[in-house]
Amino acid sequence: MQNTEIQQLLEWYITAGVEEIVGDSPFAFMKEEKQVLPIAQIRLAKAEPIVNENRQATTVLAQAMQNACQSAREICAQAQSLSELKEKLSQFDGCSLKLTATNMVFGEGNEHAKIMFIGEAPGADEDRIGRPFVGKSGQLLDKMIEAMGLKREDCYITNVLSWRPPGNRTPTDGEVAVCLPFLKRQIELISPEYIFLLGASAANALLNIPDSISKLRGHWLEYETESKQKIKTLASFHPAYLLRNTGQKAKAWSDMLRLKSKMEEK
Ligand code: URA
């Protein structure tokens, strides 16, 4: 294979979500079995070159990831409206989740919303319908919104990722990094007064803090946009988690009340 072909193949892997090389050495599956050396022998025979090859491949993967993130940031900076951003996202090929998803799920709701709800990624229902939070989690989110004295149509609802990870698996760091500029641009364009983060994934991604949701919830946080706007932010349990752990609903309720009373202060 030529170097450019190898590079293209590696870039394809990274857009497909591959972030680590787990084998000790590449080998030809199609060759006769007797030609395939046992792993231990490969290690002994080729220790130096394998380390170097892996290092080279990892560097190429990391570079491809950086390029995709850079291209996402540049595209987002150009978008002057939500519809333009949505259009640009639909043309963006830097996230491999697009290949397995049925529909792109962009944010929806009031473009002048005071409050933005942000989840992790579309689930099966959202992927099928192409709208955020329309499945069981969405039904609970609707109830939470109503309990705060709000209407869904007055809010803006979105996710960190715009495509469903296959089988609802946890998104990789690379997938989050590539999609984050699109979320950040949505926030910038909506310019809400409040952000309510649903679950640890959304909170960790947006605030760039690795803490658990139990640690992050229960007090006011702050998100600062690229244009230095400071937005009052709360993090709480994801509705899907609350459906499985009903005992935590009381804590979520107190987070909702915290937001409600802050919004009513004005
Ligand atoms: N879970 C999410 O985080 N987002 C959705 O849109 C649906 C389920």
Side-chain angles (χ1 to χ4, degrees):
M1 247 198 258
Q2 300 289 311
N3 272 352
T4 48
E5 285 173 309
I6 294 170
Q7 176 148 359
Q8 280 166 0
L9 180 62
L10 290 169
E11 280 171 7
W12 186 86
Y13 279 140
I14 196 161
T15 53
V18 176
E19 293 193 308
E20 275 181 60
I21 295 151
V22 291
D24 284 332
S25 168
F27 66 91
F29 284 92
M30 304 305 284
K31 285 203 178 150
E32 284 176 40
E33 241 173 62
K34 61 180 182 207
Q35 289 183 294
V36 179
L37 289 172
I39 294 283
Q41 258 181 278
I42 293 172
R43 261 204 209 110
L44 285 176
K46 298 186 174 181
E48 274 298 306
I50 290 165
V51 170
N52 289 339
E53 279 164 25
N54 283 356
R55 208 173 277 152
Q56 220 177 357
T58 310
T59 311
V60 175
L61 287 172
Q63 188 58 54
M65 176 63 68
Q66 276 183 20
N67 292 348
C69 292
Q70 179 61 27
S71 137
R73 280 193 293 271
E74 285 167 12
I75 288 169
C76 289
Q78 290 161 12
Q80 297 306 317
S81 68
L82 285 169
S83 55
E84 207 184 317
L85 185 64
K86 183 176 180 180
E87 180 58 27
K88 286 182 187 295
L89 179 61
S90 70
Q91 289 162 7
F92 179 67
D93 290 327
C95 179
S96 62
L97 294 175
K98 188 178 181 180
L99 301 174
T100 46
T102 309
N103 280 300
M104 180 180 97
V105 179
F106 194 69
E108 69 169 26
N110 191 324
E111 299 199 358
H112 306 289
K114 274 189 179 177
I115 170 116
M116 241 174 120
F117 290 89
I118 303 173
E120 176 183 293
D125 292 317
E126 291 75 17
D127 179 53
R128 189 168 43 80
I129 296 170
R131 292 181 51 213
F133 281 99
V134 289
K136 287 211 170 79
S137 298
Q139 285 159 20
L140 180 55
L141 177 61
D142 288 349
K143 287 186 186 152
M144 290 164 71
I145 289 173
E146 275 174 37
M148 287 185 256
L150 302 165
K151 290 188 190 129
R152 183 174 167 127
E153 53 274 28
D154 295 335
C155 309
Y156 188 86
I157 300 174
T158 192
N159 284 299
V160 177
L161 303 182
S162 298
W163 295 278
R164 180 193 186 210
N168 293 349
R169 67 159 167 75
T170 304
T172 64
D173 290 347
E175 287 158 0
V176 170
V178 142
C179 291
L180 206 51
F182 292 93
L183 171 65
K184 290 186 169 179
R185 191 68 185 139
Q186 283 177 82
I187 298 174
E188 200 112 41
L189 290 167
I190 301 272
S191 184
E193 279 179 48
Y194 307 96
I195 292 175
F196 199 94
L197 297 166
L198 301 160
S201 287
N204 297 157
L206 190 67
L207 303 173
N208 197 20
I209 310 176
D211 294 348
S212 68
I213 194 65
S214 306
K215 201 165 166 201
L216 289 169
R217 64 151 295 277
H219 51 268
W220 283 101
L221 304 159
E222 195 174 77
Y223 168 69
E224 189 175 302
T225 65
E226 316 252 293
S227 56
K228 306 285 172 220
Q229 184 196 353
K230 291 180 167 54
I231 304 177
K232 294 177 208 71
T233 300
L234 278 180
S236 191
F237 298 110
H238 192 286
Y241 175 82
L242 293 173
L243 288 169
R244 293 191 306 269
N245 302 274
T246 48
Q248 301 285 18
K249 280 190 179 175
K251 287 184 189 156
W253 176 240
S254 84
D255 295 332
M256 285 148 52
L257 287 183
R258 185 168 278 109
L259 177 71
K260 186 172 189 287
S261 56
K262 184 69 128 193
M263 289 180 85
E264 284 169 357
E265 267 175 22
K266 296 203 164 182

